[in-house]
Amino acid sequence: MKTLRDLVVHEGNQSLVDALEMSILSLMAGTPVHVHVEGLRGTGKTTVIRAMKSILPSIERVRGCLYNCEPANPHCPAHRNMDPEDLSSLGTESIPIPFLEISHAAKLGTVVGSIDLARVVDPNHPEVALLPGVIPRAYRGIIFVDEINRLADTSPELTDVLLDVMGTKPGRLQIEETGLPAFILPVICCVWAASNPDEEPGALEDIRRQLSDRFDFVVNMGRPQNHDAVKRILSGNIWGEEVLSHKYGASVLERADTLRQISLSDDLSSLLAELYIGFGIESLRAVEAISLGARARAAMNSRTKVLLDDIRSVLGITLRHRVDGATLINIGKFLDEYESKQGKHRREEREQGSPRDGAGEERSEEGAGKDPVRTDDACIKPESLWDRLIKSMGLTRHDMSKRHYGTEGAGLSQGTAASRTSAGHGRRYAAGGGTSIADPRDVDIHAPPAKARSLFQLSGSEILFTEEDLKIR
Ligand SMILES: [Zn+2]
């Protein structure tokens, strides 16, 4: 099996590696992040996922506990009500973060738990006991489900179990076996899944939409796009030990600590609220995932402050399975406008000699990326000839971005337009698989672009609205 050291990271798999790193970090900080990777066969989805196993840090558990009880906070049936002194006499042990797999043909008993037959037929101590399945044993770890679309198609009862496990944080698992009292366990584990939407039975979101929505991140796996990456794959020339230990050494724990302390600023929280309401995003999980992802990204970069850039960089993986391509692009534009407004706001404050707390700091933390002056100026767009013409006629230009803002979003929340499904297909196979929302390859094309028409051929209502029209709308 390949380890992460053997893996060549290129533009096709970079966003998957990033998403999995954020997931591990967040798990260490106590909040699991579920990741689903979609891609064609042979792109190496499962190789990347399994390679992450090699960098998983260790956790402490009550010695010998199959449920990986946290010594300070035991949850399993055997230890949760135990006297603290008895518990500490059991001692603790360090184990690698569990990484278990569920195949699409798995049985309910092996996934949830079943009667431990060895103990039932034990001649000295016959008793009815439970043999915990994959999910309880993956507590504080990772469960990998390959071909999750096939599992969702052929095993509705396992799908229901996953829905429960991933529905809340922590999730829950109800175990019922004849002869034993039913009990409910909390579940803290990341579910990582892979699927090829191009093969039977198709994309997960078309089979079980609910399950698709449970994934915080959905990553599109691409192929290497340049010569150099392919050559590196062939030659096996890969990351050195120093790079890996710098990235994943003791610092994972430190960064998990940082993550626990990070919260979104008031400004960014209201920005997310605005996104959710304004664009009619169906699932509240979407904004929760954006917030979680942005914080994890800040922690990955050893920052305690979340930047707009963090939000922008997780938009693609948190929204591509939840909104259509056009809405995603409009959300990107909306963030651009927000950023330039912020820039303008700050400049006005600077001119008035009252700099807002931390205004400059936010930029400088971002590093050598952007020139603040340029950002400020970018917001003042020269008025186009067209705009001036319309203004002089006393008319208002029909704002395309506003239209999407209301109607596209609202339409989506009402249900499943057929266009949504077809849009999904276009998006899924976009090359590169990056998270850039403005990448033209990620843009869904609903219809061939219309031929250009002269002004005189357009009917007035296609471009112009009077103030009266707008009031009625
Ligand atoms: Zn235990």
Side-chain angles (χ1 to χ4, degrees), residues 153-438:
D153 191 42
T154 56
S155 186
E157 66 283 3
L158 273 184
T159 308
D160 288 341
V161 169
L162 284 179
L163 285 174
D164 263 359
V165 165
M166 300 162 73
T168 46
K169 293 180 183 182
R172 66 193 278 288
L173 179 71
Q174 185 160 338
I175 306 182
E176 290 172 61
E177 267 292 351
T178 326
L180 287 171
F183 66 97
I184 294 174
L185 278 178
V187 185
I188 296 180
C189 72
C190 296
V191 177
W192 292 354
S195 70
N196 177 356
D198 199 34
E199 280 179 358
E200 279 298 313
L204 180 62
E205 66 183 81
D206 299 336
I207 298 164
R208 201 72 188 263
R209 182 84 191 276
Q210 241 180 329
L211 186 58
S212 160
D213 180 54
R214 294 285 204 266
F215 285 95
D216 300 291
F217 300 164
V218 170
V219 182
N220 199 353
M221 180 85 175
R223 305 175 327 133
Q225 296 290 317
N226 64 52
H227 259 84
D228 189 46
V230 180
K231 268 165 67 187
R232 275 188 298 139
I233 293 172
L234 294 176
S235 68
N237 174 19
I238 25 117
W239 292 356
E241 285 294 346
E242 335 70 80
V243 180
L244 273 186
S245 63
H246 168 72
K247 257 177 100 93
Y248 302 108
S251 68
V252 176
L253 295 175
E254 282 163 27
R255 283 180 293 175
D257 258 348
T258 311
L259 179 53
R260 278 190 207 100
Q261 298 155 20
I262 300 179
S263 57
L264 279 194
S265 69
D266 241 23
D267 279 0
L268 292 182
S269 298
S270 32
L271 175 71
L272 289 190
E274 218 171 315
L275 277 189
Y276 174 70
I277 292 170
F279 287 90
I281 296 174
E282 197 173 339
S283 165
L284 202 52
R285 287 197 179 88
V287 272
E288 285 167 350
I290 297 175
S291 158
L292 203 56
R295 283 182 287 138
R297 188 176 180 269
M300 293 274 296
N301 293 300
S302 309
R303 268 189 277 110
T304 52
K305 186 169 181 179
V306 179
L307 306 178
L308 188 62
D309 228 36
D310 296 320
I311 289 185
R312 204 192 291 277
S313 76
V314 298
L315 276 187
I317 56 175
T318 49
L319 293 181
R320 71 165 72 237
H321 54 308
R322 292 171 164 134
V323 303
D324 64 16
T327 310
L328 195 53
I329 292 189
N330 286 326
I331 290 176
K333 284 183 194 155
F334 172 75
L335 289 191
D336 288 344
E337 279 166 28
Y338 174 84
E339 190 171 25
S340 55
K341 258 186 243 155
Q342 293 290 98
K344 189 176 173 187
H345 187 51
R346 267 185 231 129
R347 193 173 57 167
E348 280 167 5
E349 277 176 343
R350 264 204 304 277
E351 278 168 4
Q352 288 161 11
S354 59
R356 204 174 51 159
D357 283 349
E361 179 195 274
E362 191 169 313
R363 278 279 153 212
S364 60
E365 268 187 68
E366 209 168 345
K370 289 175 189 166
D371 177 4
V373 179
R374 239 181 56 203
T375 317
D376 287 357
D377 288 346
C379 66
I380 308 167
K381 292 191 186 111
E383 210 174 10
S384 72
L385 179 66
W386 182 237
D387 286 330
R388 273 182 286 161
L389 176 71
I390 288 174
K391 213 189 248 176
S392 68
M393 289 163 73
L395 298 168
T396 310
R397 189 168 183 173
H398 180 33
D399 188 340
M400 294 304 282
S401 66
K402 282 258 168 57
R403 191 173 67 86
H404 278 300
Y405 198 73
T407 55
E408 281 277 336
L412 188 72
S413 67
Q414 279 160 14
T416 52
S419 68
R420 161 136 181 70
T421 318
S422 60
H425 281 289
R427 187 176 68 243
R428 242 174 258 121
Y429 306 122
T435 54
S436 161
I437 35 109

Side-chain angles (χ1 to χ4, degrees), residues 62 65 67 69 76 79:
V62 172
C65 178
Y67 297 82
C69 269
C76 86
H79 299 132

